[in-house]
Each structure stands twice: as structure tokens, then as C-alpha cells.
Amino acid sequence: MVSDFFKSIDFPRIVGYFVKNNDFLLDVDVAVTIAQIATYRESGNTKGYLPQGSPLSPIISNLIGSILDIRILRLAKKYKLDYTRYADDITLSTNLKDFPYQIAVHRQDRWIVGIQLEKIIKSSGFEVNKSKTRLYTNNERQEVNSLSVNKKVNIRKEYYRYTRSMVNQYCMTGMYFKSSEHRRANIANDNSLNGILSFIYYIKRDRNLVVDDGHIKYCDMKGLQKLYTKFLFHYNFIYQSRTTVIGEGFTDPRHLRIAYKAIYNAHNSSIKFTYLGNTKRFSHFTGMKGGTGLINKFLSEYQLIDKSIAISKFPCIILLDGDKAGNDVIKMAEKLFDKTIKKINIPTVGIMLFYHVYNNLYILQLDKDVDVEKLYDSNVLQTKVDQRTFNPSNKKTDQTKFYGKKEFLEKVIEPNRSKINFSNFEIVFKTLNYIQLYHLIAYRSEAGLAVKTNLSLISAKSSNTTSKSSPLPVP
């Protein structure tokens, strides 16, 4: 109903609000700084205004728009109406038989804003968008912000159907086109689609339309839960924006991030170290939160969920401990992916054996009887905390005598990272670098791009890599 809502909140208006409002009364220089941060200016000859999409825009617009809310609420109460506003969308509803003419009036086959309401909107510094003024009766489908609100709040069928089509297209190709049913149709990226699904999920979750059974199999899922799970799988593991390394537990990626920064003295931007529990909504739907048992489940569901028709750009690498549980994961992978799995054993010094399982999926296992914690020197592992000894076992132990992996990370590694020797991690990073290059060849070959690089060249590059050089990021 409000025309150019964010654009009407311009630079001078923001400065004036923060200087004069009794809740702030800021110094002019401070108010100007806030306005400079919050506004966007199209050219040097125009005033800056709040841009849509900025995290500051809804906060500042609600502050400045509060006077509008107060005045309309007073008017709504007078005529027994309910008032709601979401950004520029104003909704006034009632059970009265006749809608008050002071609020809206029917003229020449269309509804227009009543005199009193229009006066309030204009006096609050906004303008009415006459083309979007409409009135719904209880016999029509009543819509507010793409939601149907007749008897209960729900997603419009058309909106959900087009969303489902976009998800299917994205899962197959990594791209999709936004439909006219969705706002800002010119923006079509994976984050936007994730936001659309999150919006639908919250609406339907409130109506208990999603079965949140964290241990349900993908083939037994239905409706939105299955659709959202499929999207999140491709979003996190197939079409991710960089190489993903999945550890067994929540401490593994934190150790790897610390070691990477210590060795290469740089923030890692080419590899995302994570574990299944970090993908919170995906792990919530599927129960995949960590541990080799749930990695087995991840592998068993992988081919069923994967709908991609081309090789993915970045590898997804599962990092396993060198124990029996890790061996069992590899055995399961060999059974499930018997037609595609390849053991890659490079004679080049400094490259660990790894498995190319399927598409962009790889497995890298640490040496026998080695887990991530055992990559530290013995003197680090023997560090005592409150006279207690480190016990890496996941089994319950006497906490008066032993401490576990979480305390080891938080009380031994993180506070002493500048003093610890991380050299044993280098072979892991070197192998991860090799896998990225190995996968890049496969990706470019399938994409039909000219690539002169071959495995022997990669081996040469790997052998010439010095211990203090950062792993080569995938272009």
C-alpha cells in the first residue's frame, strides 16, 4: 500500500530522526555516520536512501515508521479494525459487514484509500501506492505477503508448486529460473532459493505440516520435508561454493581450521572444514549429525538423494579416522558404490591414499590407529587439565581423572595454538590439495574445457610444494 517505502526514507530523514528523536538524541556527526552506512546513493546528484536487502534497512525503517504504526493503530481501534504491517504492506481487517469508508471506499470499480487513512500516511512522510490498494471479502482468497490468510495462514498452492519446480531444476543442474510467483524475480541464486524454502518451512511448521522425525529415511519423507532435504543436500554437498571436508565429529573441523591457519599463516578460503551436524536443518531432517554411524547413513542415502546430471565443480571429502569404524565406512562405500569407487594411490611422496567414490564424493582416511587428535605431538597429548589426563575415547570415563575431546580442544589447543607444532597436519592438507586438483581435471574434462594439466603434472606440483606454502585453491 505504501509507495517506494524504503526509498522514501532518505539520508536527511535518517539524520533528522536520530538527532531529534527522544530515544536517541544523537550528535549530528554520529547520526550522519549511521546514515552514510545505511543508505545507498545512485549518483552524486541524488539523496541516499535505504536499499532493499540491507540488514539495516528493516531496523531503521521500523524505527522511522513507528509513528505511522501508532497513528494507524489509533485509527484502526476507532473503527474496530485489526492492523498489521510488513515493511510497505499495510493490512487492515475486520469482521464488520461494511468496511469503514474512512479507511477505504469503492469508486469506479476499484477500491481507494479513504481520506483519513491517506492523510495519516502522508503526514507520516509516505505516499499511497494506489495500484496496490485492494479489498478482499471472506468469499475470496485473502492474500497477505504471498500468504493465504482466510481461515488459517498457509502458502498459496501456486507459490509452492513453482518453488518445487525451481528446486527440481536446481538439484539437476545447479541453476534455476525464478517464476513470476516469487518476488524480485531477477535474483535467482542458491541462497535466494534457500530463503524461499525457509519461509515456506516456517509457515508450514507452525501448522505441524512437517514431520520432524530426525531419524526418518529419505525415501519415507513426504512433501516439504523431502523437498527441503533434497535442496539442502545439493546446496551443501553438490553445488557448494568451495571444497567441503566433512569430519567425523564437531571437534575435527575446528582442529583442522586452527592447524591450517598456524601452518600457512592465512585464513583458508578454498576449503570448508565442517561436520554433518553443522548443516543444522539438513541434520535435523535426516538425523545426520556426526560420527561414523551417521556418515554410513549419509553414504547409504547419497545416490538416492543426488539428482545432479553433471559432475560437481568442487569436491566433497569425508575425512575418517584410521580405526575400525573408519574401515567399516570404506567397506560400506565399496559396497554401495561398487561401480564407481576408485582407490587412488599416488607414489608421489607426501600424498595419502584416498578414494574417489562417486561424482564429487571422496574419502580420505588417516593412517592406521590415527585420529585427528593424534596428529599432535605426544607432549601436547599428555597435557594435564586440572590434574586430569586426556582420554580421546567417546565412552564415558571418570571425569575426575580424565577429560575428553571437547576440553582438549578448548583448554589445550585453542589457548596454546601459537606454541603448538602442527607439522603432522601438513600431509593431510597436501592430500586435500591434490584431491582438489584431481577433481578439477575431472570437472573440466566433463565440462568440455581445454585442460593441459594431467596427473603427472599434478604429482610434480605436489612434490615441489614446500611445507609452508598454502594449498592451491581451485579456480
Side-chain angles (χ1 to χ4, degrees):
M1 184 184 288
V2 178
S3 179
D4 293 329
F5 178 71
F6 287 107
K7 206 167 185 176
S8 63
I9 303 175
D10 55 23
F11 189 96
R13 189 171 181 181
I14 295 170
V15 173
Y17 174 82
F18 284 112
V19 170
K20 296 179 181 179
N21 186 274
N22 289 330
D23 292 326
F24 293 95
L25 298 176
L26 299 181
D27 182 82
V28 173
D29 290 339
V30 176
V32 167
T33 301
I34 293 173
Q36 287 174 331
I37 295 171
T39 58
Y40 166 75
R41 188 166 62 174
E42 294 177 350
S43 67
N45 298 324
T46 60
K47 295 178 183 178
Y49 59 87
L50 289 180
Q52 284 189 331
S54 167
L56 281 176
S57 294
I59 298 171
I60 293 177
S61 65
N62 280 337
L63 289 171
I64 294 177
S66 61
I67 186 64
L68 174 68
D69 296 330
I70 292 169
R71 290 171 178 174
I72 296 182
L73 273 170
R74 191 180 297 131
L75 182 69
K77 185 177 180 180
K78 180 179 178 181
Y79 294 105
K80 299 180 180 179
L81 303 174
D82 292 321
Y83 165 71
T84 55
R85 180 178 66 84
Y86 179 77
D88 58 341
D89 288 326
I90 293 174
T91 304
L92 289 156
S93 53
T94 182
N95 290 324
L96 296 174
K97 184 177 180 180
D98 297 316
F99 204 83
Y101 67 87
Q102 296 87 347
I103 307 298
V105 61
H106 191 259
R107 288 181 183 171
Q108 298 179 349
D109 297 327
R110 67 188 184 94
W111 286 90
I112 62 173
V113 175
I115 295 174
Q116 290 190 30
L117 179 57
E118 185 173 12
K119 183 179 179 180
I120 286 175
I121 293 173
K122 288 185 175 181
S123 66
S124 301
F126 300 99
E127 293 292 331
V128 175
N129 188 341
K130 296 180 180 180
S131 64
K132 291 189 176 181
T133 303
R134 53 192 181 271
L135 186 140
Y136 297 114
T137 67
N138 60 352
N139 295 321
E140 300 174 285
R141 183 165 65 182
Q142 299 170 332
E143 296 178 12
V144 178
N145 300 322
S146 299
L147 297 175
S148 174
V149 295
N150 285 63
K151 292 184 178 180
K152 52 192 174 184
V153 177
N154 198 7
I155 299 294
R156 294 170 57 246
K157 291 181 180 179
E158 296 87 350
Y159 189 90
Y160 181 80
R161 186 169 65 247
Y162 279 111
T163 300
R164 184 177 59 200
S165 177
M166 292 190 301
V167 170
N168 290 335
Q169 187 180 22
Y170 171 79
C171 292
M172 289 180 65
T173 65
M175 299 180 292
Y176 70 97
F177 295 98
K178 260 191 174 180
S179 76
S180 58
E181 283 289 322
H182 298 81
R183 292 186 174 186
R184 299 174 68 189
N186 58 316
I187 300 176
N189 56 44
D190 48 6
N191 290 325
S192 176
L193 187 53
N194 192 17
I196 291 169
L197 286 165
S198 181
F199 168 68
I200 296 173
Y201 170 72
Y202 273 107
I203 297 300
K204 287 186 173 289
R205 186 187 66 169
D206 289 341
R207 296 184 55 226
N208 297 318
L209 294 182
V210 177
V211 180
D212 288 331
D213 182 354
H215 301 285
I216 192 172
K217 292 182 179 180
Y218 177 76
C219 59
D220 295 328
M221 294 180 185
K222 296 179 181 179
L224 177 60
Q225 186 180 14
K226 190 168 190 175
L227 184 72
Y228 206 171
T229 298
K230 181 170 69 173
F231 167 79
L232 291 171
F233 173 85
H234 291 83
Y235 176 79
N236 288 294
F237 309 116
I238 303 295
Y239 302 123
Q240 71 274 28
S241 59
R242 54 180 170 159
T243 297
T244 299
V245 177
I246 301 173
E248 291 186 14
F250 77 97
T251 59
D252 290 353
R254 292 170 68 180
H255 284 296
L256 293 166
R257 283 193 292 268
I258 292 170
Y260 186 98
K261 188 172 183 180
I263 293 172
Y264 303 109
N265 194 28
H267 173 69
N268 177 30
S269 59
S270 65
I271 302 176
K272 177 183 179 181
F273 297 109
T274 186
Y275 77 109
L276 289 175
N278 271 349
T279 55
K280 292 183 179 179
R281 190 155 291 166
F282 177 78
S283 63
H284 169 68
F285 285 151
T286 61
M288 299 179 188
K289 296 182 180 179
T292 52
L294 291 171
I295 288 177
N296 281 333
K297 182 179 179 182
F298 176 75
L299 291 173
S300 66
E301 304 254 83
Y302 194 97
Q303 293 184 83
L304 184 63
I305 306 176
D306 182 20
K307 304 300 179 184
S308 59
I309 59 176
I311 192 167
S312 306
K313 186 174 182 179
F314 297 101
C316 176
I317 307 165
I318 297 174
L319 180 64
L320 299 173
D321 294 338
D323 55 11
K324 182 181 181 302
N327 294 337
D328 291 341
V329 171
I330 292 175
K331 288 179 182 178
M332 171 168 274
E334 289 174 332
K335 181 179 179 181
L336 292 169
F337 301 88
D338 59 308
K339 294 181 180 179
T340 59
I341 191 168
K342 297 176 184 177
K343 182 187 290 186
I344 311 298
N345 190 8
I346 307 299
T348 307
V349 176
I351 299 297
M352 301 167 64
L353 180 148
F354 64 91
Y355 296 84
H356 184 189
V357 182
Y358 177 81
N359 193 345
N360 71 325
L361 181 62
Y362 294 80
I363 292 178
L364 172 62
Q365 186 179 28
L366 299 178
D367 292 338
K368 186 178 180 181
D369 298 326
V370 174
D371 55 24
V372 171
E373 285 79 10
K374 287 184 181 178
L375 293 172
Y376 293 102
D377 291 341
S378 58
N379 63 315
V380 177
L381 296 172
Q382 292 168 7
T383 303
K384 290 191 175 183
V385 174
D386 300 328
Q387 302 302 314
R388 294 176 298 154
T389 305
F390 174 50
N391 186 338
S393 172
N394 291 322
K395 297 178 181 179
K396 288 186 177 181
T397 56
D398 186 348
Q399 294 186 1
T400 62
K401 297 179 180 180
F402 304 100
Y403 65 93
K405 292 183 177 182
K406 186 174 183 292
E407 282 190 273
F408 177 70
L409 172 67
E410 295 175 349
K411 296 184 179 180
V412 177
I413 302 303
E414 290 182 338
N416 302 293
R417 62 177 71 190
S418 61
K419 306 173 186 176
I420 293 174
N421 177 17
F422 292 95
S423 60
N424 291 335
F425 285 82
E426 289 185 51
I427 188 173
V428 177
F429 297 135
K430 196 172 183 180
T431 305
L432 293 175
N433 178 40
Y434 185 92
I435 293 174
Q436 289 186 90
L437 292 169
Y438 175 93
H439 185 76
L440 179 61
I441 290 177
Y443 169 75
R444 286 188 168 176
S445 297
E446 182 157 323
L449 301 175
V451 180
K452 296 181 180 179
T453 312
N454 54 43
L455 286 179
S456 61
L457 179 59
I458 293 176
S459 299
K461 285 186 176 182
S462 299
S463 61
N464 291 331
T465 302
T466 60
S467 62
K468 296 299 179 183
S469 62
S470 177
L472 181 66
V474 175

